[in-house]
């Protein structure tokens, strides 16, 4: 079996913020690799440095120590080949759904005509063809987040990073979005970094799950998810799925315990 190429390589990556109260060590000494085409979730309690780690991988936050390498090139700042999705869809309220999807094309001064077909196709893929001319205020939260997924995919970036993209949605919409994302990945495979608080969401979507914990935070657990793709809709009811979720819950609780010990 041939080894997959590495998409991201982190070597002893740390981040210390300087705040009015003094230095805050958010991430400590993370060394790991993410392979091309893998969907990797990062789980961990609030404040353990997940967003900080993602922003450093995206080149949007400086690194205090260590090195991040993407496809053989050191990451030193923001770049075009990463799609980002956040908890809030952050759509521009005065633009139509279609123009929101095409916004990166406009910002980067690329020819709109070349991307129009892709924008229509992406909106069809997430079931929003009929809403292309609507404004974001006319959409539900789940629909707005679908638009932000299309916007992140419009330039077909090889790497997509998502920071708790479904946390603000109700449980039913969240389940729908999980299935939509599985489907998108099936049709449009790429490397994914997905931050979530939900163990079940991480196991359902990922090829690999990392757990962060402690303070300053490290990767305390790295689990390969053994389910192939496409994944059956009822996979979350299988005993193997629930066993994995139980194991991950234990790791996360030990991370919490460590944080309590350090802060008391
Ligand atoms: N700009 C900042 N300045 C100072 N401290 C920060 C800043 N951003 C985050 N932190 C601190 O760094 C730690 C990790 O934050 P964050 O990466 O947002 O965690 P998570 O995404 O896991 O909730 C927290 O203690 C947080 O308060
Ligand atoms: Mg966060």
């Amino acid at each position: 079996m041939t080894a997959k190429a590495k998409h991201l390589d982190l070597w002893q990556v740390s981040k210390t913020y300087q705040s009015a109260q003094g230095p805050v060590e958010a991430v400590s000494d993370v060394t790991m690799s993410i392979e091309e085409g893998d969907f990797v979730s990062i789980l961990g309690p609030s404040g353990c440095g997940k967003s900080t780690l993602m922003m450093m991988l995206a080149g949007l936050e400086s690194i205090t120590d260590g090195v991040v390498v993407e496809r053989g090139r050191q990451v030193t700042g923001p770049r075009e080949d990463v799609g980002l999705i956040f908890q809030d869809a952050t759509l521009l309220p005065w633009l139509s759904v279609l123009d929101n999807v095409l916004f990166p094309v406009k910002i980067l001064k690329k020819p709109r005509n070349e991307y129009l077909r892709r924008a229509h196709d992406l909106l069809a893929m997430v079931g929003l063809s009929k809403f292309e001319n609507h404004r974001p205020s006319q959409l539900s939260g789940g629909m707005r987040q679908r638009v932000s997924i299309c916007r992140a995919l419009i330039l077909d970036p090889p790497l997509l990073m998502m920071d708790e993209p479904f946390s603000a949605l109700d449980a039913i919409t969240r389940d729908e979005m999980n299935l939509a994302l599985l489907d998108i990945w099936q049709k449009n495979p790429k490397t994914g970094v997905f931050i979530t608080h939900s163990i079940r969401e991480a196991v359902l979507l990922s090829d690999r799950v990392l757990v962060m914990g402690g303070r300053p935070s490290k990767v305390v657990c790295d689990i390969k998810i053994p389910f192939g793709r496409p994944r059956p809709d009822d996979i979350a009811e299988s005993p193997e799925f629930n066993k994995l979720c139980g194991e991950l819950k234990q790791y996360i609780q030990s991370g919490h315990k460590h944080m309590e010990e350090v802060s008391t």
Side-chain angles (χ1 to χ4, degrees), residues 63-83:
I63 294 165
T64 313
D65 265 316
V67 181
V68 175
V69 174
E70 185 192 9
R71 289 179 156 176
R73 291 173 66 179
Q74 188 173 348
V75 172
T76 52
R79 47 201 199 285
E80 278 178 37
D81 56 358
V82 185

Side-chain angles (χ1 to χ4, degrees), residues 150-202:
C150 295
R151 181 183 56 191
L153 293 171
I154 188 71
L155 298 174
D156 200 17
L159 174 62
L160 194 62
M161 295 203 210
M162 298 155 272
D163 191 352
E164 300 192 39
F166 308 141
S167 298
L169 304 177
D170 63 81
I172 293 171
T173 310
R174 188 170 185 157
D175 285 348
E176 281 172 13
M177 293 301 291
N178 281 333
L179 294 179
L181 191 56
L182 267 181
D183 191 44
I184 289 168
W185 227 256
Q186 201 60 39
K187 292 173 179 152
N188 210 332
K190 43 186 77 247
T191 309
V193 177
F194 186 88
I195 294 176
T196 179
H197 280 293
S198 162
I199 295 172
R200 298 183 73 80
E201 190 171 76

